[in-house]
Amino acid sequence: MSEPTRRSVLKTGVFFACCGISHVRLARAQSSPVEALPVKEITGGVFAFAGRPEMMAANNEGEICNVSFIIGDEAVAVIDSGGSVAEGRQLVAAIRARTDKPIRYLINTHMHPDHIFGNAAFGETGAIVVGHHNLPRALTARGDYYLQSYRDAMGSELMADIRIIPPTKLITGEEQLDLGNRKLTLKAWKTAHTDNDLTIFDEQSGTFFTGDLCFIEHLPTMDGSLLGWIAQLEELKGIKATFAVPGHGPVPSAWPQALGQEQRYFDALARDIRKAIADGVPMAEAVKTAAESERNNWRLFDEYNVRNATAAFAELEWE
Amino acid sequence: MTIKPIRLRSRVVAFVILALVGAAMPFAASAQSASVPDTKTWDGLKGDVFGQKPIGDAGGIITIDAPKRAEDAAIVPIDLHFKTDAATGRIKAVTLIVDENPSPVAAVFQFGKDAGVTHLATRLRVNAYSYVRAIAETEDGKLHMTQTFVKASGGCSAPAMKNQDESLASLGKMKLRVFTAKTPGNEPMTRATEMQLMIRHPNNSGLQMDQVTRYYIPAHFIQGLTVSQGDRLIMSMEGGISISEDPNFRFEFDAKPGEDVKVEAADTEGKKFQDEWPLESSSL
Ligand SMILES: [Zn+2]
Ligand SMILES: [Zn+2]
């Protein structure tokens, strides 16, 4: 047995430093009043803001996903904090423009930066951060990478306040939260969009908050399991909701029709990739043409399709 | 050919802790913002890997293909082709390096004497804008290098596991595919056979904190692999964490009809995996 060489050490280096320890800066003094996020009341006590179908960038302050809040008799629950602390603060301002009730819960639907980068804005509200039981693990593995990799697109000013804040209340299976005569049913799903997808159902209004399990217009992104996502579409459709707030797309959207677009894309992607694998086409070639028939149906197709195809290829090879 | 002894886990842990305390990991930041590829990292790295040995240009002996943009930072396909002549002799070993990764040496492959490997494809994690380079050592002892520049896609495409539970649940499961000459897109083959070996393994990068114990989970990856046919070594690999989750190798070699293909692998936790497949002459 040989002693470990410098070379062996070079192979066991470390990908991610732990999250949250770097670049912590005190929040800016909030002397100037923060503008409220232009949310709309989609039904009694349920407010949502529709993000833009774009990549996160300095000029959109990361406001690309849908964020929402629900007001009960006693308290407020927020669903996703947005893609920057700036957006998160505007969301807090939008809530405060409508109610003085305490913000009891900040629910993160999953790990992606557009949904969690605003968490630090809720630090002073005392909200309990709620997430899928896999979310802390996912953020540990990715947090520092996210903080680094968005710096170019978002700019250092927006990034300065952003911190990775993992949930402290973890959801396994199904669990209810009560806002005072208003019960929310949270459900932790098996791996689909990510391995930490959480949905929220508001019984009172019949509103279903899908997180990124539902994409409309914005091409779905694959960061979990294509097969897992497809396999859970039927169960998703079975949720007896009046309408949905998707992770990306129009607010509100008809349910379960909201799932139609992504289902068609998944089918095309899986079909093309399966054929390539069967024909022995290497991954690098196959991903160039997979799901090409879907190009004109989506925004951000060029930004995400090859990546989705790559992940799908690696997964479907094991079938 | 046996698999190298398992390196002590405590060393891995020690290194992880060292890295944390030092906090001087070559991280994405500097490379990420640079738009012009510079070779500073490599200049500092090559002595550590190859000592004072001169490294020449590949000149077609080895070529590398990779996408210009790493669409999925966790799965970047890399393609190597080998073309040697009588003067240099065959390629004995290939070292695959991702300059800007915290673990630059992705893998070192050794090839059997009469294996006739002409093509090898695998998948890497690429952490940042980085050169990916392959250095071949020929029988005459010379080193030949080729490289390509890969831009990490940035954004939410992290070089991390997508489905950690699944990965662990089927740990060590292997799959071998043989591509027949009739496969569209492939040139007709004579003796050379193309194969693809897949191993289920998280190839975990480490430094993920266990949320209950608050201790860092050590890296867990395939560190040794051999592929042989009959008594003949086809290739072996000494690997690191820059190889993607579910390590995947597609390669072309001189197959001998009727002899079994055998694969042995070992990971950093001392687990050994092996499997064997008959190679029918009809598939050649
Ligand atoms: Zn999203
Ligand atoms: Zn997402």
Side-chain angles (χ1 to χ4, degrees):
Chain A
M1 170 151 181
S2 59
E3 279 301 298
T5 58
R6 165 78 174 141
R7 184 190 273 186
S8 74
V9 171
L10 291 171
K11 277 181 291 199
T12 55
V14 177
F15 259 88
F16 319 103
C18 90
C19 51
I21 55 171
S22 56
H23 310 291
V24 176
R25 209 184 76 171
L26 289 175
R28 275 171 293 191
Q30 294 186 28
S31 47
S32 58
V34 178
E35 221 179 288
L37 201 65
V39 295
K40 64 175 172 187
E41 186 163 17
I42 54 179
T43 179
V46 178
F47 298 80
F49 165 79
R52 297 196 248 167
E54 296 172 1
M55 304 295 281
M56 286 169 73
N59 64 10
N60 61 29
E61 294 193 326
E63 296 171 3
I64 65 158
C65 82
N66 299 334
V67 295
S68 321
F69 60 91
I70 305 158
I71 305 174
D73 282 355
E74 292 161 14
V76 181
V78 178
I79 299 170
D80 287 333
S81 60
S84 65
V85 179
E87 182 182 3
R89 288 197 187 107
Q90 291 176 50
L91 181 55
V92 174
I95 296 165
R96 285 295 161 247
R98 281 155 187 91
T99 179
D100 290 331
K101 289 170 191 167
I103 301 172
R104 190 177 288 166
Y105 302 109
L106 166 59
I107 305 165
N108 285 141
T109 57
H110 65 294
M111 68 188 180
H112 282 146
D114 47 328
H115 303 258
I116 61 147
F117 267 7
N119 279 14
F122 292 83
E124 283 158 28
T125 67
I128 297 164
V129 183
V130 184
H132 189 290
H133 63 92
N134 280 341
L135 182 57
R137 177 178 76 181
L139 289 176
T140 303
R142 293 168 177 81
D144 254 20
Y145 183 84
Y146 286 160
L147 293 177
Q148 295 283 353
S149 65
Y150 277 90
R151 194 150 292 165
D152 280 354
M154 297 272 282
S156 50
E157 202 180 319
L158 271 180
M159 293 303 297
D161 295 334
I162 294 171
R163 291 170 59 195
I164 303 296
I165 300 174
T168 50
K169 181 168 177 54
L170 304 182
I171 305 296
T172 304
E174 267 186 39
E175 212 172 304
Q176 287 201 326
L177 299 179
D178 194 354
L179 302 177
N181 292 318
R182 187 155 207 162
K183 288 209 170 66
L184 304 180
T185 304
L186 278 60
K187 181 173 163 60
W189 294 77
K190 294 194 194 110
T191 306
H193 172 60
T194 66
D195 73 1
N196 48 85
D197 300 316
L198 187 73
T199 59
I200 300 95
F201 182 63
D202 171 42
E203 277 178 11
Q204 188 175 314
S205 67
T207 313
F208 185 43
F209 302 85
T210 67
D212 279 1
L213 286 176
C214 179
F215 276 84
I216 304 170
E217 290 173 8
H218 178 306
L219 191 77
T221 61
M222 220 62 74
D223 217 354
S225 161
L226 174 60
L227 294 176
W229 203 337
I230 292 172
Q232 291 179 101
L233 282 174
E234 286 311 310
E235 193 180 346
L236 272 166
K237 282 182 194 166
I239 306 277
K240 301 262 177 290
T242 319
F243 49 81
V245 175
H248 298 263
V251 173
S253 286
W255 189 258
Q257 294 87 328
L259 292 170
Q261 278 194 41
E262 68 179 28
Q263 184 158 24
R264 196 196 54 229
Y265 172 69
F266 296 157
D267 289 346
L269 184 62
R271 179 196 65 219
D272 291 356
I273 293 291
R274 281 190 176 116
K275 180 168 191 316
I277 291 169
D279 290 348
V281 179
M283 171 189 268
E285 286 304 311
V287 299
K288 289 178 189 163
T289 53
E292 193 57 34
S293 62
E294 283 288 310
R295 172 178 294 277
N296 296 326
N297 298 329
W298 299 96
R299 305 249 201 144
L300 306 175
F301 186 87
D302 285 332
E303 283 78 1
Y304 290 117
N305 185 60
V306 172
R307 179 178 153 209
N308 290 344
T310 304
F313 193 103
E315 182 181 4
L316 295 176
E317 263 181 324
W318 286 94
E319 283 187 316
Chain B
M1 181 73 193
T2 52
I3 288 163
K4 287 200 141 198
I6 308 307
R7 232 162 255 127
L8 287 175
R9 181 183 160 141
S10 60
R11 290 220 181 87
V12 176
V13 176
F15 181 73
V16 164
I17 291 163
L18 202 99
L20 243 189
V21 174
M25 297 309 298
F27 210 88
S30 58
Q32 192 92 6
S33 49
S35 53
V36 183
D38 83 51
T39 61
K40 226 182 284 162
T41 308
W42 171 242
D43 295 340
L45 193 61
K46 63 181 170 193
D48 289 333
V49 184
F50 294 102
Q52 294 307 306
K53 225 172 162 186
I55 301 170
D57 189 79
I61 286 173
I62 179 169
T63 54
I64 187 167
D65 289 299
K68 288 197 164 36
R69 199 171 87 134
E71 302 284 352
D72 186 333
I75 313 165
V76 180
I78 305 288
D79 225 342
L80 303 171
H81 285 272
F82 314 139
K83 197 175 175 189
T84 51
D85 54 32
T88 59
R90 65 179 188 95
I91 291 177
K92 275 165 43 185
V94 169
T95 303
L96 202 51
I97 291 179
V98 186
D99 286 7
E100 306 298 338
N101 275 5
S103 58
V105 180
V108 181
F109 298 93
Q110 313 263 1
F111 302 103
K113 231 177 166 49
D114 54 354
V117 176
T118 53
H119 169 231
L120 171 63
T122 188
R123 298 162 193 176
L124 302 177
R125 292 190 171 105
V126 177
N127 213 36
Y129 282 34
S130 179
Y131 277 107
V132 177
R133 52 185 86 239
I135 297 99
E137 185 187 352
T138 41
E139 259 181 327
D140 59 8
K142 291 195 172 123
L143 298 174
H144 315 265
M145 181 168 77
T146 182
Q147 67 275 316
T148 184
F149 193 72
V150 175
K151 291 182 173 180
S153 70
C156 61
S157 157
M161 274 185 279
K162 291 182 173 56
N163 197 350
Q164 199 164 340
D165 297 328
E166 169 65 31
S167 228
L168 284 169
S170 44
L171 186 78
K173 188 181 160 194
M174 293 190 205
K175 199 170 158 178
L176 188 81
R177 255 190 101 181
V178 179
F179 298 93
T180 62
K182 276 159 260 152
T183 305
N186 284 351
E187 286 150 30
M189 286 176 281
T190 48
R191 288 178 60 212
T193 292
E194 195 173 16
M195 277 188 184
Q196 185 177 19
L197 169 66
M198 301 158 63
I199 307 169
R200 274 276 197 221
H201 201 286
N203 237 47
N204 199 353
S205 55
L207 250 204
Q208 302 187 358
M209 189 188 270
D210 184 311
Q211 295 295 320
V212 179
T213 63
R214 310 305 287 175
Y215 283 110
Y216 287 93
I217 302 160
H220 180 205
F221 58 91
I222 297 272
Q223 62 177 12
L225 171 80
T226 60
V227 182
S228 47
Q229 191 188 19
D231 298 331
R232 211 163 56 110
L233 170 75
I234 304 304
M235 69 174 190
S236 67
M237 182 203 72
E238 232 191 299
I241 60 165
S242 292
I243 295 279
S244 298
E245 169 186 10
D246 297 341
N248 192 309
F249 309 95
R250 185 165 169 163
F251 54 97
E252 227 173 287
F253 71 107
D254 282 345
K256 290 221 173 77
E259 286 186 18
D260 289 0
V261 172
K262 190 175 173 190
V263 174
E264 293 174 289
D267 73 14
T268 45
E269 289 186 355
K271 293 198 186 79
K272 299 195 183 231
F273 316 101
Q274 69 169 65
D275 214 334
E276 224 171 315
W277 299 265
L279 190 58
E280 312 289 343
S281 28
S282 61
S283 67
L284 296 187

